Amino acid sequence: MHPERLPVVVAGGGPAGFMAAIVAAEAGVQGVHLLEATPEPLAKVRISGGGRCNVTHACWDPRELVAHYPRGSRALRGPFSRFAAGDALAWFQDHGLELVEEPDGRLFPRSNRSSSVVDTLRRAAARAGVTLHTGLALQAVAPVAEGFALELRGEPQPLTAGQLVLATGSHPSGRRLAAALGHSLVPPVPSLFTLALAGEPLLALAGVAMDPVGLILELPDGGSQRQRGPVLITHWGLSGPATLRLTAFAARQLHTSRYRARLRVDWSGGRSQADLEQLVQQARSSQARRQLASARPWPELSRRLWQHLLTRSGVEPERRWADLTREQQRHLISALRNSVYAVSGRGPFGEEFVTAGGVPLAEVNLATMASRLQPGLSLVGELLDVDGITGGFNFQHCWTSGWIAGMALADQLSGSGRRC
């Protein structure tokens, strides 16, 4: 790249950066340059969803959509009113990619391959006239009279950008650049992670999945979080969508408590005390001669989990239903509805899927994604203090913030941008 003044530089070749660059260029802004530090852009898109890429979620009402963001929430009502899940679905369809809704509301490419999403974005960028530079990292930035002086790895002389969009995701280098331009930072903490349980009480149940399971996380500061949904038992504790949602909403509290808490688990599928008493009475009558271990109170209850709960309740698995005492019945129902485990930490290192923290939303004009502190600067995607739960919500924020930034650049540069 030769030393020159570039009209628009987007730093970060991820989903938000690509969307901002494409939208601006399609709206008539010329001279849009997209910088990606690694040799391969959109790497997170390529590996997401097990290689399938959960593009967004079929949550069409912005008022409902914001409820899926532990950080961001109410502030995102405005941005999502302009570009939400339905708009993302239409945008990708207009660019040749059909999305298909799964029963749980997640939207994937019909090909079931994340490479289709990557190819769509790269083709759209090329057609719009975006200049993509890979292996080119933005190392330092400073405001100058004409915009920003950019120091790039491998470039002997700084370049100047008239407009700068930081779309660097949760990488520390992006936060450092934002701080250098005057922004404060909410300290990053992991979000969307699995839970390790003290003593590995569920070790023998690894691989068991249950749905729905009720979770109540009781934190040392007196706060609590609740979730209900699918849970997967692992070698170290609990995973699955309900667990990930729980840790997303409790991310900062758990970080403060050093990931120590008490977890109450309802394995009964939400059944009431009366419902369980009735099921137990029916089993005592219809399966009186059978051993408890071989006769579960309802068929959907995992056999291995049922045997674990028997042991946990102090009930011999070989005992017949007819011989179950009232005290044992009480303990068993309590274990089904309210098993208590000690949380000892996160799951294995690197299991977290999202980082909470970044540039505070109060420092950004969410109508344009422009910095309130530095003229000519826009900030999008995971660099901001926004994170969603699992299910395509984090990508949706990237599409939304990138689209808004791109449109705002086009509005601002509708005259000079077209002549560049």
Side-chain angles (χ1 to χ4, degrees):
M1 186 184 294
H2 300 294
E4 56 183 321
R5 182 182 186 276
L6 306 178
V8 177
V9 168
V10 180
F18 259 83
M19 180 63 86
I22 293 167
V23 169
E26 286 183 339
V29 178
Q30 297 181 27
V32 178
H33 291 257
L34 179 57
L35 311 183
E36 168 54 36
T38 69
E40 192 65 35
L42 297 165
K44 189 169 185 178
V45 172
R46 192 176 293 278
I47 65 173
S48 69
R52 298 172 63 211
C53 187
N54 180 186
V55 175
T56 186
H57 202 97
C59 185
W60 314 120
D61 188 336
R63 293 170 297 182
E64 297 177 5
L65 185 57
V66 296
H68 296 89
Y69 293 83
R71 265 69 52 185
S73 190
R74 191 180 307 174
L76 294 175
R77 276 281 296 273
F80 286 149
S81 295
R82 297 182 59 198
F83 192 91
D87 303 292
L89 176 69
W91 190 93
F92 279 101
Q93 186 158 334
D94 289 344
H95 289 79
L97 182 70
E98 184 180 359
L99 302 180
V100 178
E101 181 182 346
E102 298 204 337
D104 62 1
R106 294 180 299 166
L107 289 162
F108 290 88
R110 180 169 288 282
S111 67
N112 232 12
R113 295 195 301 270
S114 59
S115 58
S116 298
V117 184
V118 172
D119 293 344
T120 298
L121 291 167
R122 294 198 65 162
R123 279 196 304 266
R127 282 197 300 264
V130 174
T131 303
L132 174 63
H133 306 271
T134 58
L136 198 60
L138 177 57
Q139 292 187 310
V141 59
V144 294
E146 301 82 9
F148 300 92
L150 311 178
E151 291 185 19
L152 306 176
R153 184 179 61 203
E155 291 290 326
Q157 296 181 352
L159 303 178
T160 301
Q163 297 282 330
L164 176 63
V165 180
L166 287 182
T168 50
S170 57
H171 197 278
S173 64
R175 299 194 193 101
R176 177 174 50 79
L177 294 171
L181 292 169
H183 281 280
S184 58
L185 296 169
V186 178
V189 299
S191 181
L192 282 178
F193 49 86
T194 61
L195 289 174
L197 302 181
E200 299 180 327
L202 305 176
L203 180 63
L205 305 181
V208 170
M210 292 290 292
D211 182 24
V213 173
L215 303 175
I216 303 177
L217 188 69
E218 298 177 339
L219 295 143
D221 65 1
S224 65
Q225 291 285 348
R226 298 170 178 257
Q227 288 292 333
R228 178 174 296 277
V231 163
L232 172 66
I233 300 175
T234 68
H235 289 91
W236 57 87
L238 294 180
S239 184
T243 308
L244 296 178
R245 290 198 301 269
L246 187 75
T247 59
F249 280 95
R252 292 211 168 274
Q253 294 163 294
L254 281 168
H255 179 76
T256 300
S257 73
R258 298 186 178 183
Y259 302 97
R260 300 296 188 270
R262 185 164 66 169
L263 183 68
R264 296 186 179 274
V265 182
D266 177 3
W267 299 110
S268 76
R271 291 172 171 83
S272 67
Q273 177 85 15
D275 290 337
L276 291 174
E277 288 175 353
Q278 184 177 9
L279 283 169
V280 168
Q281 289 302 325
Q282 289 173 350
R284 289 170 68 103
S285 173
S286 63
Q287 307 189 72
R289 296 182 178 276
R290 297 189 63 186
Q291 292 183 344
L292 287 155
S294 60
R296 292 161 289 173
W298 65 90
E300 296 82 12
L301 179 61
S302 160
R303 187 179 303 277
R304 282 197 286 160
L305 176 60
W306 171 238
Q307 292 174 350
H308 161 79
L309 293 174
L310 287 171
T311 302
R312 187 178 180 84
S313 305
V315 180
E316 308 93 322
E318 300 79 17
R319 180 177 288 268
R320 298 186 310 166
W321 272 104
D323 300 328
L324 186 70
T325 68
R326 286 192 174 276
E327 184 177 3
Q328 288 174 327
Q329 174 178 317
R330 181 170 58 82
H331 288 313
L332 194 52
I333 289 176
S334 177
L336 282 164
R337 293 193 71 224
N338 188 30
S339 285
V340 181
Y341 305 94
V343 174
S344 60
R346 290 181 282 148
F349 177 76
E351 275 262 324
E352 58 270 10
F353 300 98
V354 171
T355 300
V359 175
L361 294 185
E363 298 180 4
V364 179
N365 180 350
L366 297 182
T368 61
M369 306 314 297
S371 166
R372 294 186 184 276
L373 307 179
Q374 181 61 60
L377 174 67
S378 301
L379 305 103
V380 297
E382 292 185 26
L383 175 61
L384 300 173
D385 185 25
V386 172
D387 61 285
I389 63 173
T390 185
F393 297 102
N394 286 292
F395 275 139
Q396 180 57 53
H397 172 247
C398 289
W399 311 134
T400 295
S401 58
W403 184 90
I404 290 174
M407 292 299 292
L409 284 170
D411 289 342
Q412 182 178 349
L413 304 176
S414 58
S416 60
R418 293 176 190 271
R419 293 193 297 270
C420 292

PDB file of all heavy atoms in Angstrom, residues 304-324:
ATOM      1  N   ARG A 304     -29.637 -42.614  33.848  1.00  0.00           N
ATOM      2  CA  ARG A 304     -28.428 -42.357  34.639  1.00  0.00           C
ATOM      3  C   ARG A 304     -28.642 -41.231  35.641  1.00  0.00           C
ATOM      4  O   ARG A 304     -28.163 -41.283  36.776  1.00  0.00           O
ATOM      5  CB  ARG A 304     -27.254 -42.030  33.718  1.00  0.00           C
ATOM      6  CG  ARG A 304     -26.636 -43.254  33.049  1.00  0.00           C
ATOM      7  CD  ARG A 304     -25.251 -42.912  32.499  1.00  0.00           C
ATOM      8  NE  ARG A 304     -25.320 -42.086  31.305  1.00  0.00           N
ATOM      9  CZ  ARG A 304     -24.313 -41.353  30.861  1.00  0.00           C
ATOM     10  NH1 ARG A 304     -23.172 -41.298  31.534  1.00  0.00           N
ATOM     11  NH2 ARG A 304     -24.440 -40.643  29.751  1.00  0.00           N
ATOM     12  N   LEU A 305     -29.375 -40.202  35.220  1.00  0.00           N
ATOM     13  CA  LEU A 305     -29.654 -39.100  36.137  1.00  0.00           C
ATOM     14  C   LEU A 305     -30.544 -39.566  37.285  1.00  0.00           C
ATOM     15  O   LEU A 305     -30.328 -39.199  38.446  1.00  0.00           O
ATOM     16  CB  LEU A 305     -30.325 -37.944  35.381  1.00  0.00           C
ATOM     17  CG  LEU A 305     -30.766 -36.755  36.232  1.00  0.00           C
ATOM     18  CD1 LEU A 305     -29.580 -36.127  36.960  1.00  0.00           C
ATOM     19  CD2 LEU A 305     -31.475 -35.708  35.370  1.00  0.00           C
ATOM     20  N   TRP A 306     -31.542 -40.380  36.984  1.00  0.00           N
ATOM     21  CA  TRP A 306     -32.444 -40.904  38.003  1.00  0.00           C
ATOM     22  C   TRP A 306     -31.655 -41.704  39.052  1.00  0.00           C
ATOM     23  O   TRP A 306     -31.847 -41.541  40.257  1.00  0.00           O
ATOM     24  CB  TRP A 306     -33.510 -41.763  37.347  1.00  0.00           C
ATOM     25  CG  TRP A 306     -34.399 -42.564  38.247  1.00  0.00           C
ATOM     26  CD1 TRP A 306     -34.557 -43.919  38.228  1.00  0.00           C
ATOM     27  CD2 TRP A 306     -35.262 -42.085  39.284  1.00  0.00           C
ATOM     28  NE1 TRP A 306     -35.458 -44.314  39.187  1.00  0.00           N
ATOM     29  CE2 TRP A 306     -35.904 -43.200  39.844  1.00  0.00           C
ATOM     30  CE3 TRP A 306     -35.548 -40.824  39.782  1.00  0.00           C
ATOM     31  CZ2 TRP A 306     -36.814 -43.100  40.881  1.00  0.00           C
ATOM     32  CZ3 TRP A 306     -36.461 -40.704  40.834  1.00  0.00           C
ATOM     33  CH2 TRP A 306     -37.081 -41.833  41.376  1.00  0.00           C
ATOM     34  N   GLN A 307     -30.734 -42.527  38.593  1.00  0.00           N
ATOM     35  CA  GLN A 307     -29.936 -43.308  39.537  1.00  0.00           C
ATOM     36  C   GLN A 307     -29.034 -42.396  40.375  1.00  0.00           C
ATOM     37  O   GLN A 307     -28.813 -42.649  41.565  1.00  0.00           O
ATOM     38  CB  GLN A 307     -29.130 -44.359  38.774  1.00  0.00           C
ATOM     39  CG  GLN A 307     -30.013 -45.428  38.153  1.00  0.00           C
ATOM     40  CD  GLN A 307     -29.249 -46.407  37.275  1.00  0.00           C
ATOM     41  OE1 GLN A 307     -28.075 -46.199  36.975  1.00  0.00           O
ATOM     42  NE2 GLN A 307     -29.920 -47.475  36.870  1.00  0.00           N
ATOM     43  N   HIS A 308     -28.509 -41.345  39.766  1.00  0.00           N
ATOM     44  CA  HIS A 308     -27.717 -40.368  40.520  1.00  0.00           C
ATOM     45  C   HIS A 308     -28.569 -39.715  41.604  1.00  0.00           C
ATOM     46  O   HIS A 308     -28.099 -39.535  42.747  1.00  0.00           O
ATOM     47  CB  HIS A 308     -27.178 -39.301  39.553  1.00  0.00           C
ATOM     48  CG  HIS A 308     -26.748 -38.036  40.213  1.00  0.00           C
ATOM     49  ND1 HIS A 308     -25.540 -37.907  40.872  1.00  0.00           N
ATOM     50  CD2 HIS A 308     -27.375 -36.813  40.331  1.00  0.00           C
ATOM     51  CE1 HIS A 308     -25.441 -36.670  41.355  1.00  0.00           C
ATOM     52  NE2 HIS A 308     -26.528 -35.989  41.033  1.00  0.00           N
ATOM     53  N   LEU A 309     -29.804 -39.359  41.268  1.00  0.00           N
ATOM     54  CA  LEU A 309     -30.668 -38.690  42.232  1.00  0.00           C
ATOM     55  C   LEU A 309     -31.088 -39.628  43.358  1.00  0.00           C
ATOM     56  O   LEU A 309     -31.261 -39.197  44.501  1.00  0.00           O
ATOM     57  CB  LEU A 309     -31.893 -38.115  41.523  1.00  0.00           C
ATOM     58  CG  LEU A 309     -31.588 -36.969  40.539  1.00  0.00           C
ATOM     59  CD1 LEU A 309     -32.836 -36.565  39.778  1.00  0.00           C
ATOM     60  CD2 LEU A 309     -30.986 -35.766  41.266  1.00  0.00           C
ATOM     61  N   LEU A 310     -31.239 -40.905  43.043  1.00  0.00           N
ATOM     62  CA  LEU A 310     -31.525 -41.880  44.102  1.00  0.00           C
ATOM     63  C   LEU A 310     -30.382 -41.908  45.111  1.00  0.00           C
ATOM     64  O   LEU A 310     -30.597 -41.818  46.326  1.00  0.00           O
ATOM     65  CB  LEU A 310     -31.723 -43.271  43.494  1.00  0.00           C
ATOM     66  CG  LEU A 310     -33.015 -43.521  42.726  1.00  0.00           C
ATOM     67  CD1 LEU A 310     -32.960 -44.868  42.011  1.00  0.00           C
ATOM     68  CD2 LEU A 310     -34.225 -43.472  43.663  1.00  0.00           C
ATOM     69  N   THR A 311     -29.162 -42.035  44.613  1.00  0.00           N
ATOM     70  CA  THR A 311     -27.998 -42.071  45.492  1.00  0.00           C
ATOM     71  C   THR A 311     -27.872 -40.771  46.275  1.00  0.00           C
ATOM     72  O   THR A 311     -27.582 -40.768  47.480  1.00  0.00           O
ATOM     73  CB  THR A 311     -26.723 -42.315  44.665  1.00  0.00           C
ATOM     74  OG1 THR A 311     -26.861 -43.536  43.943  1.00  0.00           O
ATOM     75  CG2 THR A 311     -25.498 -42.383  45.561  1.00  0.00           C
ATOM     76  N   ARG A 312     -28.101 -39.653  45.587  1.00  0.00           N
ATOM     77  CA  ARG A 312     -28.007 -38.336  46.224  1.00  0.00           C
ATOM     78  C   ARG A 312     -29.034 -38.195  47.346  1.00  0.00           C
ATOM     79  O   ARG A 312     -28.791 -37.501  48.334  1.00  0.00           O
ATOM     80  CB  ARG A 312     -28.214 -37.250  45.168  1.00  0.00           C
ATOM     81  CG  ARG A 312     -27.991 -35.830  45.642  1.00  0.00           C
ATOM     82  CD  ARG A 312     -28.162 -34.840  44.509  1.00  0.00           C
ATOM     83  NE  ARG A 312     -27.956 -33.480  44.941  1.00  0.00           N
ATOM     84  CZ  ARG A 312     -26.789 -32.877  45.035  1.00  0.00           C
ATOM     85  NH1 ARG A 312     -25.691 -33.542  44.688  1.00  0.00           N
ATOM     86  NH2 ARG A 312     -26.677 -31.626  45.446  1.00  0.00           N
ATOM     87  N   SER A 313     -30.170 -38.849  47.200  1.00  0.00           N
ATOM     88  CA  SER A 313     -31.245 -38.772  48.198  1.00  0.00           C
ATOM     89  C   SER A 313     -31.077 -39.776  49.325  1.00  0.00           C
ATOM     90  O   SER A 313     -31.894 -39.808  50.254  1.00  0.00           O
ATOM     91  CB  SER A 313     -32.599 -39.012  47.518  1.00  0.00           C
ATOM     92  OG  SER A 313     -32.796 -38.127  46.457  1.00  0.00           O
ATOM     93  N   GLY A 314     -30.048 -40.617  49.220  1.00  0.00           N
ATOM     94  CA  GLY A 314     -29.839 -41.633  50.240  1.00  0.00           C
ATOM     95  C   GLY A 314     -30.785 -42.807  50.122  1.00  0.00           C
ATOM     96  O   GLY A 314     -31.034 -43.523  51.108  1.00  0.00           O
ATOM     97  N   VAL A 315     -31.322 -43.026  48.915  1.00  0.00           N
ATOM     98  CA  VAL A 315     -32.270 -44.123  48.686  1.00  0.00           C
ATOM     99  C   VAL A 315     -31.546 -45.246  47.937  1.00  0.00           C
ATOM    100  O   VAL A 315     -30.937 -45.010  46.887  1.00  0.00           O
ATOM    101  CB  VAL A 315     -33.479 -43.645  47.861  1.00  0.00           C
ATOM    102  CG1 VAL A 315     -34.451 -44.791  47.626  1.00  0.00           C
ATOM    103  CG2 VAL A 315     -34.170 -42.487  48.563  1.00  0.00           C
ATOM    104  N   GLU A 316     -31.624 -46.469  48.465  1.00  0.00           N
ATOM    105  CA  GLU A 316     -30.963 -47.596  47.814  1.00  0.00           C
ATOM    106  C   GLU A 316     -31.623 -47.867  46.466  1.00  0.00           C
ATOM    107  O   GLU A 316     -32.845 -48.047  46.393  1.00  0.00           O
ATOM    108  CB  GLU A 316     -31.062 -48.860  48.672  1.00  0.00           C
ATOM    109  CG  GLU A 316     -30.599 -48.678  50.104  1.00  0.00           C
ATOM    110  CD  GLU A 316     -31.742 -48.313  51.027  1.00  0.00           C
ATOM    111  OE1 GLU A 316     -32.630 -47.541  50.588  1.00  0.00           O
ATOM    112  OE2 GLU A 316     -31.748 -48.782  52.171  1.00  0.00           O
ATOM    113  N   PRO A 317     -30.858 -47.897  45.372  1.00  0.00           N
ATOM    114  CA  PRO A 317     -31.437 -48.159  44.057  1.00  0.00           C
ATOM    115  C   PRO A 317     -32.166 -49.505  43.989  1.00  0.00           C
ATOM    116  O   PRO A 317     -33.093 -49.668  43.192  1.00  0.00           O
ATOM    117  CB  PRO A 317     -30.217 -48.148  43.129  1.00  0.00           C
ATOM    118  CG  PRO A 317     -29.197 -47.322  43.843  1.00  0.00           C
ATOM    119  CD  PRO A 317     -29.409 -47.624  45.284  1.00  0.00           C
ATOM    120  N   GLU A 318     -31.770 -50.477  44.855  1.00  0.00           N
ATOM    121  CA  GLU A 318     -32.388 -51.805  44.816  1.00  0.00           C
ATOM    122  C   GLU A 318     -33.723 -51.842  45.561  1.00  0.00           C
ATOM    123  O   GLU A 318     -34.459 -52.840  45.473  1.00  0.00           O
ATOM    124  CB  GLU A 318     -31.444 -52.846  45.442  1.00  0.00           C
ATOM    125  CG  GLU A 318     -30.098 -52.969  44.753  1.00  0.00           C
ATOM    126  CD  GLU A 318     -29.133 -51.859  45.156  1.00  0.00           C
ATOM    127  OE1 GLU A 318     -29.396 -51.197  46.198  1.00  0.00           O
ATOM    128  OE2 GLU A 318     -28.132 -51.647  44.440  1.00  0.00           O
ATOM    129  N   ARG A 319     -34.042 -50.794  46.274  1.00  0.00           N
ATOM    130  CA  ARG A 319     -35.295 -50.773  47.038  1.00  0.00           C
ATOM    131  C   ARG A 319     -36.492 -50.804  46.084  1.00  0.00           C
ATOM    132  O   ARG A 319     -36.486 -50.179  45.026  1.00  0.00           O
ATOM    133  CB  ARG A 319     -35.347 -49.519  47.911  1.00  0.00           C
ATOM    134  CG  ARG A 319     -36.627 -49.390  48.752  1.00  0.00           C
ATOM    135  CD  ARG A 319     -36.561 -48.155  49.628  1.00  0.00           C
ATOM    136  NE  ARG A 319     -35.624 -48.328  50.717  1.00  0.00           N
ATOM    137  CZ  ARG A 319     -35.963 -48.790  51.933  1.00  0.00           C
ATOM    138  NH1 ARG A 319     -37.222 -49.116  52.199  1.00  0.00           N
ATOM    139  NH2 ARG A 319     -35.054 -48.921  52.863  1.00  0.00           N
ATOM    140  N   ARG A 320     -37.534 -51.532  46.462  1.00  0.00           N
ATOM    141  CA  ARG A 320     -38.749 -51.580  45.644  1.00  0.00           C
ATOM    142  C   ARG A 320     -39.589 -50.324  45.896  1.00  0.00           C
ATOM    143  O   ARG A 320     -39.553 -49.736  46.962  1.00  0.00           O
ATOM    144  CB  ARG A 320     -39.558 -52.826  45.976  1.00  0.00           C
ATOM    145  CG  ARG A 320     -38.857 -54.144  45.684  1.00  0.00           C
ATOM    146  CD  ARG A 320     -39.790 -55.315  45.917  1.00  0.00           C
ATOM    147  NE  ARG A 320     -40.448 -55.223  47.230  1.00  0.00           N
ATOM    148  CZ  ARG A 320     -41.496 -55.955  47.587  1.00  0.00           C
ATOM    149  NH1 ARG A 320     -42.008 -56.846  46.743  1.00  0.00           N
ATOM    150  NH2 ARG A 320     -42.026 -55.821  48.789  1.00  0.00           N
ATOM    151  N   TRP A 321     -40.366 -49.955  44.872  1.00  0.00           N
ATOM    152  CA  TRP A 321     -41.237 -48.790  45.005  1.00  0.00           C
ATOM    153  C   TRP A 321     -42.179 -48.941  46.211  1.00  0.00           C
ATOM    154  O   TRP A 321     -42.444 -47.976  46.925  1.00  0.00           O
ATOM    155  CB  TRP A 321     -42.046 -48.582  43.730  1.00  0.00           C
ATOM    156  CG  TRP A 321     -41.358 -47.732  42.706  1.00  0.00           C
ATOM    157  CD1 TRP A 321     -40.750 -48.135  41.564  1.00  0.00           C
ATOM    158  CD2 TRP A 321     -41.211 -46.303  42.751  1.00  0.00           C
ATOM    159  NE1 TRP A 321     -40.223 -47.069  40.878  1.00  0.00           N
ATOM    160  CE2 TRP A 321     -40.504 -45.918  41.588  1.00  0.00           C
ATOM    161  CE3 TRP A 321     -41.611 -45.314  43.641  1.00  0.00           C
ATOM    162  CZ2 TRP A 321     -40.180 -44.598  41.301  1.00  0.00           C
ATOM    163  CZ3 TRP A 321     -41.296 -43.986  43.360  1.00  0.00           C
ATOM    164  CH2 TRP A 321     -40.582 -43.646  42.203  1.00  0.00           C
ATOM    165  N   ALA A 322     -42.668 -50.160  46.435  1.00  0.00           N
ATOM    166  CA  ALA A 322     -43.621 -50.388  47.532  1.00  0.00           C
ATOM    167  C   ALA A 322     -42.990 -50.134  48.894  1.00  0.00           C
ATOM    168  O   ALA A 322     -43.696 -49.840  49.870  1.00  0.00           O
ATOM    169  CB  ALA A 322     -44.154 -51.814  47.468  1.00  0.00           C
ATOM    170  N   ASP A 323     -41.656 -50.231  48.967  1.00  0.00           N
ATOM    171  CA  ASP A 323     -40.963 -50.090  50.247  1.00  0.00           C
ATOM    172  C   ASP A 323     -40.407 -48.683  50.473  1.00  0.00           C
ATOM    173  O   ASP A 323     -39.703 -48.452  51.463  1.00  0.00           O
ATOM    174  CB  ASP A 323     -39.809 -51.102  50.326  1.00  0.00           C
ATOM    175  CG  ASP A 323     -40.308 -52.535  50.206  1.00  0.00           C
ATOM    176  OD1 ASP A 323     -41.435 -52.797  50.663  1.00  0.00           O
ATOM    177  OD2 ASP A 323     -39.577 -53.372  49.637  1.00  0.00           O
ATOM    178  N   LEU A 324     -40.691 -47.753  49.561  1.00  0.00           N
ATOM    179  CA  LEU A 324     -40.192 -46.389  49.707  1.00  0.00           C
ATOM    180  C   LEU A 324     -40.888 -45.715  50.888  1.00  0.00           C
ATOM    181  O   LEU A 324     -42.123 -45.638  50.937  1.00  0.00           O
ATOM    182  CB  LEU A 324     -40.455 -45.594  48.422  1.00  0.00           C
ATOM    183  CG  LEU A 324     -39.860 -44.187  48.345  1.00  0.00           C
ATOM    184  CD1 LEU A 324     -38.337 -44.253  48.232  1.00  0.00           C
ATOM    185  CD2 LEU A 324     -40.447 -43.438  47.147  1.00  0.00           C
TER     186      LEU A 324
END
